[in-house]
Amino acid sequence: MLRRRPFVLGACQPDAPTDFHAPMTLTASEATYTEPHRPQVHFTPPTAWMNDPNGMVFFDGEYHLFYQHHPASTVWGPMHWGHAISPDLVRWEHRPIALHPDAIGAIFSGSAVVDAANTAGFQQGDTPALVAIYTQHSHRGTDTGRDDVQTQSLAYSTDRGRTWTKHGGNPVLPNPPAPGAAPLRDFRDPKVLWHEETQRWVMALAVQDRIQFYGAPDLKAWTFLSEFGADAGAHGGVWECPDLFPLTAPDGTMRWVLLVSIGEGGPNGGSGTQYFLGDFDGTTFTNANPADAVLWLDYGRDNYAGVTWSGVPAADGRRLFIGWMSNWQYAQIVPTDPWRSAMTVPRSLHLVQDASVPGGYRIASRPVEELRALRGDAVTLAGQTIASALDVRGITSVFEGVLTFDLRGAYVPFGLDLANAAGDVYRLRYDPAAQQLTSDRTASGAVGFASDATHLEPRFAPTVHTAPLVPAGDLLALQVVADVSSIEVFAEHGRVVFTETFFPSAPYDTVRLVADGGTAQLAAAMFWPLASIWN
Ligand code: FRU
């Protein structure tokens, strides 16, 4: 059974614009960035609800980040595109809402491109237009039981992303996409790229349990190309938020990467992001791996709907990614106010060889180097034996750590605790016998949030999460970024990633290296407190 998101708002919702311009009940001035659980080095909206990152595009020295946003509330509702701009992926300037719901529907997830050759004809003057391609969702249609509620539309900006105009010919990809065909109930989240060899735009679109590809010369006249995935990968929930891009490994091997988020059935429960490695010839994606192979971008519960920036110059060469740091199982009930949800740190994605996964290649995710600008004075630990526990002096709730452990003679689980005087403790461990990384937030603070019947499984799920991790040699490398209410763990240079949120009753003020019931060999470690991006 395909588990799909119902997108129900309650009372019957007309799609007319005025009905969605409800007075803002939350204003930016209510945000102080010092509220309990407020991340200090992660992007959050000043106030109100946020989910997926959208429309990420680099243009003229600026990174644009749009996001699913319900400005009138801290729970999901009629979606807008919130907007922020950064010169460096670290510090963000909040911008006015870029796209409001209209008579066609609310503004669901999608992408944005630089139309350098003016294929769509939106350009005015010398500056190329930025074009956003997004799903419109008709709440009126959902309320009246229709299936054709999702279509794809365009908006463009001729002033470097400052203001946005909707295309008069919306929707550009109707539902059903071919006349006479049956409507497609889940038909959303277009990710568009320019395919150089075939000289056309390609759209990857999530359609129920598969990805469909469409092509267009001008971003407007889309034709069906192919589909992939009904019989491949994980299918615990409806497929959402695809991305398609090439990556080249250090050994010269090139793969096309197809990212696919699934709303249920992630590696440790709830939402998760899988990926396929293969080939894309401009029309068809061919999986290089067996159909039953599942590769996960992140083993934590809190990295969903992530996609990559378009328009990053070839001279930079990075494939830059950001994800929504939450999970549909509990996103709407986490104890934060006046905002809900953060993004992950921006990461670069790399294709690397790894004999422990099917096909021998996987994606490694690494925090972008720009984040180093936030590092304060380093706390360095020399190689030593950790017998039970060692506090890291001077490091509290917002920090980065780079640790290397020697696995020779390692028998007991070892790792890191984040703790506070109230007795809350989050535990990260590597178990050398089981070759497994574990993330334990069962005692991390608030875990039993009030349930809400609209959720599939309204629990923060106080369970221990695991990831298989086969180190490449005798050393285990861990990089961690902790930020008040989250930890991101990049093990073995990003091959195995854990992104997890937690809500301690008071900020963690103790960072402790631990070995459970024995000893561990620390080879070296450095920790840095990180400065707030909001100061
Ligand atoms: C993923 C998602 C998308 C959809 C958006 C709606 O989290 O369900 O498929 O476009 O959120 O907010």
Side-chain angles (χ1 to χ4, degrees):
M1 229 290 270
L2 189 64
R3 300 187 78 176
R4 44 166 54 107
R5 186 139 315 121
F7 298 125
V8 169
L9 290 177
C12 190
Q13 297 284 336
D15 293 318
T18 48
D19 298 288
F20 285 135
H21 285 207
M24 293 254 295
T25 53
L26 301 163
T27 62
S29 62
E30 290 174 45
T32 62
Y33 298 97
T34 59
E35 303 92 345
H37 308 307
R38 175 76 92 165
Q40 295 300 306
V41 302
H42 288 80
F43 179 81
T44 50
T47 60
W49 169 263
M50 174 176 83
N51 56 292
D52 313 355
N54 294 148
M56 292 112 78
V57 60
F58 178 86
F59 182 64
D60 200 15
E62 296 176 327
Y63 294 94
H64 293 265
L65 170 64
F66 301 86
Y67 53 90
Q68 289 286 279
H69 188 39
H70 184 207
S73 155
T74 50
V75 295
W76 191 86
M79 285 288 107
H80 302 55
W81 272 25
H83 186 199
I85 298 178
S86 174
D88 57 5
L89 295 166
V90 177
R91 292 175 203 277
W92 296 94
E93 180 198 346
H94 294 293
R95 302 288 311 171
I97 287 172
L99 297 173
H100 289 82
D102 58 35
I104 302 175
I107 316 294
F108 273 20
S109 287
S111 51
V113 294
V114 181
D115 188 9
N118 196 22
T119 62
F122 295 137
Q123 185 173 325
Q124 292 162 14
D126 294 337
T127 306
L130 302 183
V131 182
I133 308 97
Y134 52 91
T135 297
Q136 298 221 252
H137 177 96
S138 167
H139 288 290
R140 182 199 287 276
T142 304
D143 291 346
T144 53
R146 298 180 67 98
D147 280 339
D148 58 354
V149 293
Q150 298 184 345
T151 54
Q152 321 314 320
S153 286
L154 303 181
Y156 58 92
S157 171
T158 56
D159 59 359
R160 301 168 59 246
R162 274 25 186 204
T163 58
W164 291 81
T165 305
K166 299 211 177 107
H167 169 48
N170 285 339
V172 292
L173 182 56
N175 189 348
L184 297 158
R185 176 80 172 70
D186 295 284
F187 186 65
R188 60 179 178 270
D189 308 340
K191 182 68 163 66
V192 171
L193 64 138
W194 176 252
H195 191 259
E196 188 61 33
E197 290 74 19
T198 52
Q199 289 288 298
R200 67 179 171 205
W201 300 99
V202 170
M203 175 195 292
L205 193 70
V207 183
Q208 301 175 162
D209 61 350
R210 61 198 67 186
I211 302 302
Q212 290 189 339
F213 299 101
Y214 290 82
D218 58 357
L219 294 165
K220 293 173 180 165
W222 295 98
T223 53
F224 176 80
L225 299 176
S226 68
E227 60 181 32
F228 168 80
D231 59 355
H235 283 275
V238 64
W239 283 21
E240 298 182 317
C241 299
D243 197 356
L244 177 69
F245 51 87
L247 283 181
T248 302
D251 67 4
T253 301
M254 200 272 249
R255 293 271 189 273
W256 280 83
V257 180
L258 180 63
L259 298 184
V260 177
S261 284
I262 54 172
E264 277 288 308
N268 280 292
S271 319
T273 302
Q274 62 180 327
Y275 61 92
F276 301 90
L277 299 177
D279 188 33
F280 182 72
D281 62 5
T283 302
T284 307
F285 180 84
T286 312
N287 194 359
N289 285 337
D292 60 356
V294 181
L295 297 166
W296 297 108
L297 195 66
D298 197 312
Y299 283 85
R301 283 192 154 219
D302 295 294
N303 180 2
Y304 191 61
V307 289
T308 66
W309 261 272
S310 68
V312 176
D316 178 313
R318 289 179 298 175
R319 182 50 58 171
L320 297 168
F321 168 97
I322 204 166
W324 175 43
M325 199 156 58
S326 195
N327 188 307
W328 279 113
Q329 286 193 338
Y330 46 75
Q332 302 188 86
I333 52 173
V334 295
T336 63
D337 183 61
W339 88 100
R340 271 216 180 94
S341 299
M343 296 300 177
T344 66
V345 289
R347 304 166 179 188
S348 55
L349 303 184
H350 308 263
L351 184 68
V352 295
Q353 262 185 303
D354 189 326
S356 72
V357 290
Y361 288 87
R362 76 192 308 174
I363 293 180
S365 307
R366 298 174 192 149
V368 295
E369 294 80 8
E370 285 89 334
L371 291 164
R372 294 180 189 171
L374 299 173
R375 289 175 177 175
D377 292 342
V379 175
T380 304
L381 301 183
Q384 57 192 290
T385 301
I386 310 293
S388 107
L390 173 74
D391 284 4
V392 183
R393 297 259 169 99
I395 297 295
T396 57
S397 65
V398 186
F399 71 90
E400 181 186 346
V402 175
L403 305 89
T404 313
F405 288 90
D406 193 331
L407 294 169
R408 287 170 296 186
Y411 302 110
V412 301
F414 60 84
L416 188 80
D417 279 358
L418 308 181
N420 63 20
D424 301 333
V425 54
Y426 165 81
R427 297 185 173 91
L428 173 73
R429 294 290 184 275
Y430 182 67
D431 182 340
Q435 296 200 310
Q436 195 166 269
L437 201 61
T438 63
S439 171
D440 177 354
R441 58 184 187 184
T442 53
S444 60
V447 290
F449 310 142
S451 89
D452 173 334
T454 64
H455 292 81
L456 295 170
E457 188 187 319
R459 296 279 296 164
F460 186 61
T463 49
V464 179
H465 306 150
T466 62
L469 173 51
V470 182
D474 289 334
L475 298 176
L476 175 75
L478 294 177
Q479 182 177 8
V480 301
V481 178
D483 184 9
V484 185
S485 53
S486 65
I487 189 165
E488 288 156 282
V489 182
F490 304 90
E492 290 290 88
H493 311 285
R495 285 157 198 254
V496 175
V497 182
F498 248 115
T499 303
E500 302 257 83
T501 55
F502 35 62
F503 301 93
S505 55
Y508 295 133
D509 55 12
T510 301
V511 178
R512 187 174 292 148
L513 303 188
V514 286
D516 295 333
T519 61
Q521 280 303 324
L522 180 71
M526 283 181 95
F527 290 84
W528 298 265
L530 297 176
S532 173
I533 64 173
W534 303 117
N535 295 331

